[in-house]
Amino acid sequence: MNNTLDELLYGIGQELKPSLLKGIIALKNGEEYVQISTYDGLKNSLRDDQKGITFLLNNRLNDIINQNSFFSREINVDDFREQFWWVLSELRQKEVNLFIKPLYKPLINNLEEIGVIIFISLNNLTVEINDILDREYMLINEASYNLYKKYEKNNIIRVFINSMVKMLKQDHPKIYEHSLRTSDLTTLIAQTLHLKTDEVEKLRNASIIHDFGKVFLSKSDQSYNQDLKSIENQIYYSHTDKLFELFKNNPYMKEVLNISYKHHEKPNKKGYYGLGEEDLGILDNILIISNVFDNLFHKENDTKTVKQVLEKMELMADRREIDKDIFQNSKEVISSFYGGFLHFSPTTSIGVSKNIHIQDPVKKEEMHKAEIINSLGNLIIINFEKNPEFSLGRNLIFMCDVGGLIEKFNAKIISKTKNDYTLLIWVKEKNKNKTLKIYWNEEASLHKLPIEFKSLENINLEKNFDQKILIRKLGGEELVFQSEEEIITGEKRIINFEYKGERILIPGIIKSKIHETSNIIYFFEYLEMKDKDLSKVYRAIFKKQVELKLKV
């Protein structure tokens, strides 16, 4: 489990099962709440896929909480389904009990709210919940407050970096795109190497800003070249000096800067500052490797395949220009990320902490029990009950309970430490996209689809605008959106939105719809798309997964 709050919430779930359906702890961020821990009583497990989702409490709930210090009563699910749709969508009951209690900063006279704890149950558990909270409240409060302080600091850094990124996007689009791709890759590699969330967050931020110093160079000096001999390239590498000058007086950026300015160093001490492997930590080396790969793979007028770039980096590793051990652990991740396999997450359905079984495809009579301890995309980190001592690169069969059915998936070991193994999970090509989905909750625009069009980019979106919508779930083959307006089933539309600097256009058809109290929920199936357009959808889902994980 990821933190003390997860452990506490899971423990409460064990005390209150089977009546407890859902348990949520969320931190306050302005008027919003950020979901940081979720217990799913339907599966008796923690839900990692809902971490980072934001929501509001309406005025009526707030008024009752302020008067009574908590809210507890039976509710009609349909009355709250729109407000808490991602929580209530799985419930089949018409009426449930809702309990909400605020969390406050500890040891101060004036109550200052830092979050809420929410329980949804079959029966009224007010007495039982209050008894448990009387016993565990200080632990929950302290753990919440520690996360709250960390969140405040991370939020300050995030706001600062985002403002810099907006400037970069407008004035230096190539540096902007490279920075985002590098950030995606470093985050993914860090997850496969079992790094802590704090370290992943630092590395992600360091990756985003690592080339900001280039904005002080002329356009001709911004091109990548590994040769350090010429005067021109000395000028190019000086962008790390500029980066240091830019952020050195910002106390919040000290740890981030300490990683980012080393991105042109080499373990053999032949980098810009002459630092060696004793000076470079794991975060430094992940950024160095990701930066080198992206620069080589996207080098202008030099088209190379992923395999060719990795072969070149193998030689660099032999010359100790990049860390060999980390590179070996990163190769499979890089190939998978750019090869389009990271679009499936069985853990979305089964939940972190879920018990699974691993089967040896050769010795099929051998079944090994394990537990999922973390996940990202179709990468999962598991802990074996008894270490079977599988070797790196070994192919296995991953078996789990998904919706009451035992499903089998192919898996490959791409990293391991003691009892913890990182597995790459994949499904057959024809079924791969069907399992891809993520909670979205972002606005988009809906446009009419012309009868004839050559490419999505050539469609006049303004002329064909229909209405604004809210995307609830985004998937690999379909999405779910809500609207107040009626659309005929079978009509074709284009959904248009921007996410993390990338414009995404999805053509599709309305397959079905469900009427709610004041909205209509539409199920939108994608029409055939070019690979480059569909890959934008995949990248958006991956980035959203990362965003949700790193919000807390």
Side-chain angles (χ1 to χ4, degrees), residues 29 31 36 53 76 82 93-94 108 131 186 206 232 241 272 326 349 436 489 524:
N29 179 35
E31 296 299 316
I36 58 171
I53 289 178
N76 187 309
E82 291 179 25
Q93 293 82 6
K94 291 184 178 181
I108 59 173
D131 286 345
T186 56
E232 291 82 2
D241 298 330
Y272 181 64
I326 295 177
S349 300
L436 171 68
T489 302
F524 184 82

PDB file of all heavy atoms in Angstrom, residues 29 31 36 53 76 82 93-94 108 131 186 206 232 241 272 326 349 436 489 524:
ATOM      1  N   ASN A  29      -8.424  21.563  -1.808  1.00  0.00           N
ATOM      2  CA  ASN A  29      -7.582  22.388  -2.670  1.00  0.00           C
ATOM      3  C   ASN A  29      -8.438  23.543  -3.173  1.00  0.00           C
ATOM      4  O   ASN A  29      -9.122  23.424  -4.179  1.00  0.00           O
ATOM      5  CB  ASN A  29      -7.040  21.563  -3.844  1.00  0.00           C
ATOM      6  CG  ASN A  29      -6.188  22.398  -4.782  1.00  0.00           C
ATOM      7  OD1 ASN A  29      -5.480  23.308  -4.347  1.00  0.00           O
ATOM      8  ND2 ASN A  29      -6.263  22.107  -6.065  1.00  0.00           N
ATOM      9  N   GLU A  31     -11.666  25.438  -3.380  1.00  0.00           N
ATOM     10  CA  GLU A  31     -13.040  24.982  -3.182  1.00  0.00           C
ATOM     11  C   GLU A  31     -13.203  23.502  -3.518  1.00  0.00           C
ATOM     12  O   GLU A  31     -14.209  22.889  -3.178  1.00  0.00           O
ATOM     13  CB  GLU A  31     -14.000  25.812  -4.062  1.00  0.00           C
ATOM     14  CG  GLU A  31     -14.057  27.293  -3.693  1.00  0.00           C
ATOM     15  CD  GLU A  31     -14.536  27.505  -2.269  1.00  0.00           C
ATOM     16  OE1 GLU A  31     -15.513  26.848  -1.863  1.00  0.00           O
ATOM     17  OE2 GLU A  31     -13.926  28.321  -1.549  1.00  0.00           O
ATOM     18  N   ILE A  36      -7.499  11.154  -2.656  1.00  0.00           N
ATOM     19  CA  ILE A  36      -6.148  10.615  -2.504  1.00  0.00           C
ATOM     20  C   ILE A  36      -6.127   9.153  -2.076  1.00  0.00           C
ATOM     21  O   ILE A  36      -5.111   8.482  -2.214  1.00  0.00           O
ATOM     22  CB  ILE A  36      -5.327  11.447  -1.498  1.00  0.00           C
ATOM     23  CG1 ILE A  36      -6.012  11.495  -0.139  1.00  0.00           C
ATOM     24  CG2 ILE A  36      -5.054  12.838  -2.027  1.00  0.00           C
ATOM     25  CD1 ILE A  36      -5.176  12.107   0.944  1.00  0.00           C
ATOM     26  N   ILE A  53      -8.596  12.385  -8.665  1.00  0.00           N
ATOM     27  CA  ILE A  53      -9.844  12.952  -9.192  1.00  0.00           C
ATOM     28  C   ILE A  53     -10.321  14.080  -8.269  1.00  0.00           C
ATOM     29  O   ILE A  53     -10.254  13.976  -7.054  1.00  0.00           O
ATOM     30  CB  ILE A  53     -10.925  11.866  -9.313  1.00  0.00           C
ATOM     31  CG1 ILE A  53     -10.569  10.898 -10.457  1.00  0.00           C
ATOM     32  CG2 ILE A  53     -12.309  12.476  -9.564  1.00  0.00           C
ATOM     33  CD1 ILE A  53     -11.536   9.758 -10.626  1.00  0.00           C
ATOM     34  N   ASN A  76     -30.960   8.964  -2.004  1.00  0.00           N
ATOM     35  CA  ASN A  76     -31.324   8.334  -3.262  1.00  0.00           C
ATOM     36  C   ASN A  76     -30.125   8.436  -4.194  1.00  0.00           C
ATOM     37  O   ASN A  76     -29.631   9.539  -4.461  1.00  0.00           O
ATOM     38  CB  ASN A  76     -32.546   9.052  -3.859  1.00  0.00           C
ATOM     39  CG  ASN A  76     -33.077   8.343  -5.098  1.00  0.00           C
ATOM     40  OD1 ASN A  76     -32.329   8.037  -6.014  1.00  0.00           O
ATOM     41  ND2 ASN A  76     -34.376   8.095  -5.121  1.00  0.00           N
ATOM     42  N   GLU A  82     -24.894  12.265 -10.545  1.00  0.00           N
ATOM     43  CA  GLU A  82     -24.183  13.209 -11.400  1.00  0.00           C
ATOM     44  C   GLU A  82     -22.997  13.835 -10.687  1.00  0.00           C
ATOM     45  O   GLU A  82     -21.937  14.045 -11.271  1.00  0.00           O
ATOM     46  CB  GLU A  82     -25.144  14.297 -11.894  1.00  0.00           C
ATOM     47  CG  GLU A  82     -26.173  13.782 -12.881  1.00  0.00           C
ATOM     48  CD  GLU A  82     -27.125  14.872 -13.342  1.00  0.00           C
ATOM     49  OE1 GLU A  82     -26.721  16.049 -13.295  1.00  0.00           O
ATOM     50  OE2 GLU A  82     -28.248  14.545 -13.746  1.00  0.00           O
ATOM     51  N   GLN A  93     -27.751  -0.346  -6.156  1.00  0.00           N
ATOM     52  CA  GLN A  93     -28.759  -0.012  -5.155  1.00  0.00           C
ATOM     53  C   GLN A  93     -29.412   1.338  -5.489  1.00  0.00           C
ATOM     54  O   GLN A  93     -28.760   2.238  -6.020  1.00  0.00           O
ATOM     55  CB  GLN A  93     -28.124   0.085  -3.760  1.00  0.00           C
ATOM     56  CG  GLN A  93     -27.605  -1.233  -3.216  1.00  0.00           C
ATOM     57  CD  GLN A  93     -26.217  -1.577  -3.744  1.00  0.00           C
ATOM     58  OE1 GLN A  93     -25.595  -0.793  -4.431  1.00  0.00           O
ATOM     59  NE2 GLN A  93     -25.738  -2.765  -3.402  1.00  0.00           N
ATOM     60  N   LYS A  94     -30.696   1.480  -5.169  1.00  0.00           N
ATOM     61  CA  LYS A  94     -31.390   2.750  -5.371  1.00  0.00           C
ATOM     62  C   LYS A  94     -31.167   3.700  -4.205  1.00  0.00           C
ATOM     63  O   LYS A  94     -31.152   4.922  -4.385  1.00  0.00           O
ATOM     64  CB  LYS A  94     -32.892   2.501  -5.562  1.00  0.00           C
ATOM     65  CG  LYS A  94     -33.231   1.801  -6.873  1.00  0.00           C
ATOM     66  CD  LYS A  94     -34.738   1.681  -7.044  1.00  0.00           C
ATOM     67  CE  LYS A  94     -35.082   1.020  -8.382  1.00  0.00           C
ATOM     68  NZ  LYS A  94     -36.553   0.915  -8.591  1.00  0.00           N
ATOM     69  N   ILE A 108      -4.614  23.316  16.418  1.00  0.00           N
ATOM     70  CA  ILE A 108      -4.819  24.765  16.330  1.00  0.00           C
ATOM     71  C   ILE A 108      -6.215  25.078  16.848  1.00  0.00           C
ATOM     72  O   ILE A 108      -7.132  24.265  16.752  1.00  0.00           O
ATOM     73  CB  ILE A 108      -4.642  25.306  14.893  1.00  0.00           C
ATOM     74  CG1 ILE A 108      -5.636  24.630  13.931  1.00  0.00           C
ATOM     75  CG2 ILE A 108      -3.234  25.140  14.401  1.00  0.00           C
ATOM     76  CD1 ILE A 108      -5.604  25.247  12.543  1.00  0.00           C
ATOM     77  N   ASP A 131     -17.385   5.611  16.123  1.00  0.00           N
ATOM     78  CA  ASP A 131     -16.547   4.888  17.086  1.00  0.00           C
ATOM     79  C   ASP A 131     -15.140   4.678  16.532  1.00  0.00           C
ATOM     80  O   ASP A 131     -14.138   4.867  17.241  1.00  0.00           O
ATOM     81  CB  ASP A 131     -17.172   3.533  17.432  1.00  0.00           C
ATOM     82  CG  ASP A 131     -18.387   3.670  18.351  1.00  0.00           C
ATOM     83  OD1 ASP A 131     -18.555   4.762  18.933  1.00  0.00           O
ATOM     84  OD2 ASP A 131     -19.160   2.693  18.459  1.00  0.00           O
ATOM     85  N   THR A 186      10.643   9.615 -18.630  1.00  0.00           N
ATOM     86  CA  THR A 186      11.306   9.487 -17.324  1.00  0.00           C
ATOM     87  C   THR A 186      10.327   9.016 -16.253  1.00  0.00           C
ATOM     88  O   THR A 186      10.674   8.198 -15.403  1.00  0.00           O
ATOM     89  CB  THR A 186      11.917  10.830 -16.868  1.00  0.00           C
ATOM     90  OG1 THR A 186      10.907  11.837 -16.843  1.00  0.00           O
ATOM     91  CG2 THR A 186      13.053  11.262 -17.769  1.00  0.00           C
ATOM     92  N   ALA A 206      11.790  17.902 -13.034  1.00  0.00           N
ATOM     93  CA  ALA A 206      13.131  18.154 -13.561  1.00  0.00           C
ATOM     94  C   ALA A 206      13.181  17.927 -15.070  1.00  0.00           C
ATOM     95  O   ALA A 206      13.850  18.662 -15.808  1.00  0.00           O
ATOM     96  CB  ALA A 206      14.146  17.255 -12.853  1.00  0.00           C
ATOM     97  N   GLU A 232      30.842  26.196 -31.046  1.00  0.00           N
ATOM     98  CA  GLU A 232      29.389  26.261 -31.182  1.00  0.00           C
ATOM     99  C   GLU A 232      28.704  25.336 -30.192  1.00  0.00           C
ATOM    100  O   GLU A 232      27.686  25.683 -29.576  1.00  0.00           O
ATOM    101  CB  GLU A 232      28.970  25.890 -32.610  1.00  0.00           C
ATOM    102  CG  GLU A 232      29.360  26.912 -33.674  1.00  0.00           C
ATOM    103  CD  GLU A 232      30.805  26.753 -34.127  1.00  0.00           C
ATOM    104  OE1 GLU A 232      31.492  25.823 -33.631  1.00  0.00           O
ATOM    105  OE2 GLU A 232      31.243  27.572 -34.948  1.00  0.00           O
ATOM    106  N   ASP A 241      23.943  26.029 -17.804  1.00  0.00           N
ATOM    107  CA  ASP A 241      24.327  27.146 -16.935  1.00  0.00           C
ATOM    108  C   ASP A 241      23.173  28.140 -16.817  1.00  0.00           C
ATOM    109  O   ASP A 241      22.870  28.647 -15.728  1.00  0.00           O
ATOM    110  CB  ASP A 241      25.556  27.873 -17.491  1.00  0.00           C
ATOM    111  CG  ASP A 241      26.789  26.976 -17.564  1.00  0.00           C
ATOM    112  OD1 ASP A 241      26.898  26.065 -16.720  1.00  0.00           O
ATOM    113  OD2 ASP A 241      27.617  27.186 -18.461  1.00  0.00           O
ATOM    114  N   TYR A 272      29.425  17.753 -19.813  1.00  0.00           N
ATOM    115  CA  TYR A 272      29.697  19.192 -19.806  1.00  0.00           C
ATOM    116  C   TYR A 272      30.404  19.650 -18.529  1.00  0.00           C
ATOM    117  O   TYR A 272      31.344  20.444 -18.564  1.00  0.00           O
ATOM    118  CB  TYR A 272      28.375  19.960 -19.976  1.00  0.00           C
ATOM    119  CG  TYR A 272      28.547  21.461 -20.007  1.00  0.00           C
ATOM    120  CD1 TYR A 272      29.256  22.078 -21.040  1.00  0.00           C
ATOM    121  CD2 TYR A 272      28.017  22.271 -19.001  1.00  0.00           C
ATOM    122  CE1 TYR A 272      29.416  23.458 -21.070  1.00  0.00           C
ATOM    123  CE2 TYR A 272      28.182  23.645 -19.020  1.00  0.00           C
ATOM    124  CZ  TYR A 272      28.884  24.230 -20.059  1.00  0.00           C
ATOM    125  OH  TYR A 272      29.049  25.593 -20.089  1.00  0.00           O
ATOM    126  N   ILE A 326      20.854   0.989 -15.627  1.00  0.00           N
ATOM    127  CA  ILE A 326      19.549   1.641 -15.775  1.00  0.00           C
ATOM    128  C   ILE A 326      19.070   1.547 -17.214  1.00  0.00           C
ATOM    129  O   ILE A 326      17.875   1.353 -17.473  1.00  0.00           O
ATOM    130  CB  ILE A 326      19.618   3.109 -15.305  1.00  0.00           C
ATOM    131  CG1 ILE A 326      19.897   3.143 -13.805  1.00  0.00           C
ATOM    132  CG2 ILE A 326      18.310   3.842 -15.611  1.00  0.00           C
ATOM    133  CD1 ILE A 326      20.058   4.518 -13.225  1.00  0.00           C
ATOM    134  N   SER A 349      -9.354  -2.626 -13.268  1.00  0.00           N
ATOM    135  CA  SER A 349     -10.521  -3.433 -12.912  1.00  0.00           C
ATOM    136  C   SER A 349     -10.349  -4.184 -11.604  1.00  0.00           C
ATOM    137  O   SER A 349     -11.291  -4.362 -10.852  1.00  0.00           O
ATOM    138  CB  SER A 349     -10.800  -4.450 -14.033  1.00  0.00           C
ATOM    139  OG  SER A 349     -11.047  -3.795 -15.246  1.00  0.00           O
ATOM    140  N   LEU A 436      -8.799  -0.520 -22.570  1.00  0.00           N
ATOM    141  CA  LEU A 436      -8.212   0.778 -22.228  1.00  0.00           C
ATOM    142  C   LEU A 436      -9.287   1.790 -21.865  1.00  0.00           C
ATOM    143  O   LEU A 436     -10.158   2.091 -22.664  1.00  0.00           O
ATOM    144  CB  LEU A 436      -7.407   1.276 -23.427  1.00  0.00           C
ATOM    145  CG  LEU A 436      -6.877   2.703 -23.362  1.00  0.00           C
ATOM    146  CD1 LEU A 436      -5.819   2.806 -22.298  1.00  0.00           C
ATOM    147  CD2 LEU A 436      -6.342   3.135 -24.697  1.00  0.00           C
ATOM    148  N   THR A 489     -29.392   8.643 -31.678  1.00  0.00           N
ATOM    149  CA  THR A 489     -28.502   7.478 -31.746  1.00  0.00           C
ATOM    150  C   THR A 489     -28.204   7.143 -33.201  1.00  0.00           C
ATOM    151  O   THR A 489     -29.099   7.125 -34.036  1.00  0.00           O
ATOM    152  CB  THR A 489     -29.146   6.262 -31.053  1.00  0.00           C
ATOM    153  OG1 THR A 489     -29.439   6.596 -29.699  1.00  0.00           O
ATOM    154  CG2 THR A 489     -28.221   5.055 -31.089  1.00  0.00           C
ATOM    155  N   PHE A 524     -20.018   6.739 -27.082  1.00  0.00           N
ATOM    156  CA  PHE A 524     -19.506   7.201 -28.376  1.00  0.00           C
ATOM    157  C   PHE A 524     -18.412   6.246 -28.850  1.00  0.00           C
ATOM    158  O   PHE A 524     -17.357   6.123 -28.230  1.00  0.00           O
ATOM    159  CB  PHE A 524     -18.950   8.619 -28.177  1.00  0.00           C
ATOM    160  CG  PHE A 524     -18.462   9.310 -29.413  1.00  0.00           C
ATOM    161  CD1 PHE A 524     -19.347   9.960 -30.265  1.00  0.00           C
ATOM    162  CD2 PHE A 524     -17.103   9.356 -29.705  1.00  0.00           C
ATOM    163  CE1 PHE A 524     -18.882  10.643 -31.381  1.00  0.00           C
ATOM    164  CE2 PHE A 524     -16.632  10.033 -30.819  1.00  0.00           C
ATOM    165  CZ  PHE A 524     -17.531  10.674 -31.658  1.00  0.00           C
TER     166      PHE A 524
END
